[in-house]
Amino acid sequence: MTIESKAFPRSHYCGELRPEQAGQAVQLCGWVQRSRNLGGLIFVWLRDKTGLVQLVFDETICGPALFALGESLRGEYVLSAEGDVSLRAPEAVNDKLPTGQIEVFVKRAALLNSSQTPPIYIDEDHPDENEALRLKYRYLELRKPSVQAMLRLRSKLTQTLRSYMDSQNFIEVETPILTKSTPEGARDYLVPSRVHPGEFYALPQSPQIYKQLLMLGGCDRYFQLARCFRDEDSRADRQPEFTQCDLEMSFVEPRDVQTVVEGAFQAVFRAVKGSEIKLPLERITWRQAMDDYGSDKPDRRFGLKLQDASGWAKGCGFSVFEGAPQLRGINAKGCAGRLSRKEIDALGEFAKTFKAKGLAWMSFGPDGVRSPFLKFLSDEKAAELKALMNAEEGDILFFVADQESVVLQTLGQLRLEIGRRLKLIDLEKDDLFWVTEFPLLEWSEEDQRFLAMHHPFTSPMDEDLPLVQADPGSVRAKAYDLVLNGLEMGSGSIRIHNPEVQEEMFNMIGLPHDLAWERFGFLLEAFRYGVPPHGGFAFGIDRLMMALTHAQSLRDVLAFPKASNGACLMMETPSSVQEEQLRALHIAPARE
């Protein structure tokens, strides 16, 4: 038997071996997961991207020199081995491993590299390890079978999308990364120009303008898996850079775009999860979503719909309700006995984090009705409220009285919190649907002006065009979001293709003619040359991966994620640069 230092040609991957290969000679390559020395036998788990297989160094078979190599093996050593596949004895079968019915008796081996003791665990038995340490040594964490499986799943997802889009006659076009800084949306990442002193490129928040110009250029159907960049505060479902499937189509209305997107999601769920999505998807309006769930991306996998009690509040006798612009509530059916008074008070504090002044409640138990505000109500008004809320014994009602925006946001978040705490959400169910007819504009108290709810290129609904000047806040947009299990998968709209309407839209969001031409002159100029009606959609690959794998954070579905503060702990970025580089970019070094 021989020891070598060069890898053998690989005949199989570790996780592929099964009883059918018994008796065959195989060549394997991978990392040592762990080893056990039982004297004349050494058992080694060898790992590659497909899984684990057990190697056996039997001194009577492999000889003293090769056995000594087996004794030297430690975790994460890189090994190439050749041996015969053998069935394990029945009592030695490992049902936890796909390869647990066989083992490989080593006849040749090559130690390709040694390893220091890794600073993080490579196995799956330590999920709560410090996240900062895992991100710093991400290249080691990539070896974990769960991360490898995620990467393969992500690759399958993107290949499925490309195949589907090709089948729908889309062409893939790459758009520039160095582009122009434009207003609205999140902050841009800026790149200084060396050859144009004092001027900057911006990294694209999306390919929005480019894909509209592609429609003007006659491409008709475009898509790309686009890298996008947004300088915004991090959250579990955000990263400074992310990937979206971006598409645009000419001569379409909302249904045309939605049908293509639905087909893409159906293909992905079929290929990645092996499940079917029934088409066409359900569509609800933005107004309906807000009224029923207090959210434009509602999780509908459980009940607790919002109910409007504003009419009942008039003359009810409770001044907090009577004096509020709006009163709404939710009925947590059957949950009265599942929430202690301490937990109810905690929900009240939770509600205050969304600017609600408080949370009113009414509980119906076997001993009668309990409520802090019951004493202010007549028996008749209390009975009316019970009937209005369809309450019965075992239910508990929660109410918020305030401005509509506060009421909707608070109750929308409260129903999610109750759903999570009481485990009301069916995590095995996938609920995919459209939210349509968003408002075109939203009022900003901070800026004291209207802002585009989606972006300033979204077309108003034809029947609302007369309201653009008379009542801009009531104008609906040809905009649509796709929602999956309470996550916004993506957004789209039919775009403005009329240059006069586009200028009017800019004017409504505080960009008068001169400023609009300064910032978007290239687009307005292009619109003079026969732009077709067009619309599109973009959905996040990372968020879709989160939903498909039930991950808790985008960091779990990226190969090289950034920390919550936007830093890459592995590469130690952002980092300082030499002063000569700054001078070449006409930037003065920062002074302490």
Side-chain angles (χ1 to χ4, degrees):
M1 306 304 168
T2 59
I3 303 173
E4 304 182 27
S5 60
K6 187 171 70 173
F8 311 139
R10 178 162 49 190
S11 65
H12 295 78
Y13 282 96
C14 295
E16 294 176 342
L17 296 179
R18 297 292 186 272
E20 291 74 28
Q21 278 83 42
Q24 293 183 21
V26 295
Q27 292 84 38
L28 306 171
C29 299
W31 286 265
V32 173
Q33 178 91 350
R34 65 182 65 162
S35 64
R36 291 178 296 138
N37 191 334
L38 303 184
L41 290 174
I42 299 172
F43 296 98
V44 174
W45 278 7
L46 191 68
R47 183 193 70 244
D48 62 20
K49 69 176 185 176
T50 63
L52 297 166
V53 69
Q54 180 165 281
L55 306 182
V56 182
F57 287 79
D58 184 336
E59 189 170 12
T60 62
I61 296 175
C62 65
L66 190 53
F67 189 80
L69 183 145
E71 289 182 309
S72 73
L73 297 176
R74 300 291 183 269
E76 301 313 303
Y77 278 28
V78 186
L79 186 70
S80 182
E82 178 180 290
D84 295 332
V85 180
S86 176
L87 293 174
R88 294 194 194 191
E91 65 273 15
V93 169
N94 186 341
D95 293 328
K96 296 180 181 179
L97 281 180
T99 60
Q101 293 178 277
I102 57 93
E103 54 196 0
V104 177
F105 283 81
V106 178
K107 292 184 175 180
R108 297 170 62 207
L111 179 59
L112 306 177
N113 224 323
S114 60
S115 172
Q116 297 182 11
T117 301
I120 65 172
Y121 291 99
I122 308 300
D123 59 42
E124 303 287 358
D125 298 331
H126 301 81
D128 298 325
E129 197 167 38
N130 180 275
E131 183 180 56
L133 195 63
R134 291 193 293 110
L135 291 178
K136 179 175 177 61
Y137 294 99
R138 179 63 171 175
Y139 48 83
L140 293 178
E141 191 175 41
L142 288 176
R143 296 180 187 175
K144 286 187 175 182
S146 61
V147 183
Q148 286 288 317
M150 179 276 295
L151 292 175
R152 290 196 300 275
L153 192 69
R154 186 177 177 118
S155 177
K156 189 170 188 177
L157 187 158
T158 55
Q159 293 304 317
T160 299
L161 284 174
R162 281 195 162 98
S163 177
Y164 171 79
M165 298 305 288
D166 181 68
S167 76
Q168 300 298 307
N169 297 319
F170 282 77
I171 61 170
E172 186 169 5
V173 182
E174 294 178 342
T175 55
I177 293 297
L178 295 177
T179 183
K180 183 181 179 70
S181 179
T182 56
E184 305 299 325
R187 289 179 294 272
D188 288 325
Y189 281 103
L190 300 177
V191 180
S193 170
R194 177 181 59 82
V195 295
H196 301 281
E199 297 183 344
F200 296 82
Y201 300 102
L203 303 183
Q205 295 186 33
S206 77
Q208 180 61 48
I209 294 176
Y210 286 110
K211 65 182 181 181
Q212 291 192 249
L213 293 174
L214 285 170
M215 296 303 100
L216 189 144
C219 290
D220 194 73
R221 289 192 168 201
Y222 134 93
F223 89 100
Q224 70 171 315
L225 301 185
R227 295 294 286 168
C228 304
F229 308 84
R230 294 181 185 175
D231 185 5
E232 55 189 356
D233 296 334
S234 181
R235 294 196 310 231
D237 61 348
R238 283 182 181 171
Q239 282 273 293
E241 52 183 309
F242 56 95
T243 305
Q244 66 183 31
C245 181
D246 193 65
L247 64 97
E248 197 79 4
M249 305 164 65
S250 292
F251 304 106
V252 290
E253 284 298 322
R255 281 270 179 175
D256 302 310
V257 180
Q258 292 163 9
T259 297
V260 168
V261 174
E262 289 177 358
F265 272 73
Q266 185 183 61
V268 166
F269 270 72
R270 185 179 293 153
V272 174
K273 292 193 71 172
S275 60
E276 285 295 324
I277 294 176
K278 184 179 178 180
L279 302 182
L281 298 177
E282 183 184 354
R283 288 158 173 78
I284 65 173
T285 66
W286 176 86
R287 185 72 263 173
Q288 181 184 347
M290 297 302 294
D291 286 343
D292 286 350
Y293 305 101
S295 171
D296 58 7
K297 49 181 182 296
D299 190 335
R300 307 188 308 171
R301 293 174 295 173
F302 66 109
L304 305 190
K305 282 188 178 182
L306 279 57
Q307 294 175 253
D308 193 348
S310 302
W312 170 88
K314 293 179 173 59
C316 71
F318 184 33
S319 60
V320 172
F321 288 175
E322 288 182 334
Q326 191 171 106
L327 174 70
R328 292 182 190 244
I330 57 177
N331 181 352
K333 296 199 72 64
C335 296
R338 301 176 63 185
L339 290 169
S340 67
R341 181 57 189 269
K342 182 178 180 181
E343 289 172 316
I344 293 172
D345 291 341
L347 290 174
E349 293 303 310
F350 176 81
K352 291 178 182 178
T353 64
F354 300 98
K355 300 183 180 179
K357 299 179 182 68
L359 181 67
W361 59 273
M362 179 180 281
S363 178
F364 298 84
D367 299 328
V369 183
R370 292 188 301 127
S371 172
F373 65 85
L374 186 61
K375 60 186 176 183
F376 298 105
L377 306 181
S378 66
D379 291 344
E380 181 183 2
K381 291 300 287 187
E384 286 179 9
L385 184 59
K386 180 181 179 181
L388 176 67
M389 299 296 293
N390 189 30
E392 53 193 2
E393 185 177 320
D395 296 347
I396 181 168
L397 311 179
F398 294 97
F399 297 95
V400 175
D402 213 306
Q403 300 287 341
E404 182 185 60
S405 59
V406 174
V407 170
L408 293 177
Q409 183 183 27
T410 303
L411 288 178
Q413 292 299 320
L414 181 71
R415 69 175 290 273
L416 289 174
E417 183 67 12
I418 294 173
R420 286 189 289 261
R421 288 193 184 198
L422 300 185
K423 296 181 169 47
L424 304 178
I425 305 172
D426 184 355
L427 299 178
E428 299 303 314
K429 179 181 178 182
D430 284 321
D431 183 33
L432 185 67
F433 62 97
W434 291 102
V435 177
T436 65
E437 298 183 19
F438 281 77
L440 183 69
L441 306 167
E442 58 184 342
W443 180 256
S444 169
E445 290 293 339
E446 181 180 349
D447 299 323
Q448 286 296 297
R449 65 183 177 94
F450 282 110
L451 301 176
M453 179 167 274
H454 275 68
H455 53 65
F457 313 107
T458 302
S459 177
M461 295 189 69
D462 298 337
E463 56 268 38
D464 289 355
L465 280 174
L467 301 174
V468 167
Q469 292 186 341
D471 187 11
S474 67
V475 177
R476 295 167 300 161
K478 291 184 179 180
Y480 33 85
D481 281 6
L482 189 62
V483 178
L484 174 63
N485 302 341
L487 286 173
E488 177 197 317
M489 287 291 100
S491 296
S493 68
I494 300 301
R495 324 302 186 189
I496 298 170
H497 66 278
N498 182 300
E500 287 77 21
V501 175
Q502 184 64 74
E503 283 217 50
E504 180 60 33
M505 178 66 174
F506 284 147
N507 189 58
M508 283 193 295
I509 62 173
L511 288 177
H513 178 84
D514 291 346
L515 189 56
W517 272 86
E518 176 185 333
R519 295 183 178 179
F520 296 102
F522 58 94
L523 182 66
L524 295 172
E525 172 70 18
F527 272 24
R528 292 174 170 177
Y529 299 100
V531 59
H534 59 284
F537 192 80
F539 58 90
I541 301 298
D542 314 313
R543 283 191 183 178
L544 180 53
M545 278 293 298
M546 274 186 68
L548 292 171
T549 60
H550 300 289
Q552 299 300 307
S553 168
L554 284 187
R555 292 191 288 276
D556 297 331
V557 296
L558 299 174
F560 297 103
K562 291 181 170 56
S564 58
N565 63 359
C568 176
L569 303 183
M570 183 185 68
M571 298 287 287
E572 297 183 345
T573 57
S575 60
S576 59
V577 298
Q578 296 179 352
E579 287 192 15
E580 301 84 67
Q581 292 175 277
L582 293 176
R583 283 195 292 269
L585 295 169
H586 315 283
I587 296 176
R591 300 302 176 193
E592 306 226 353

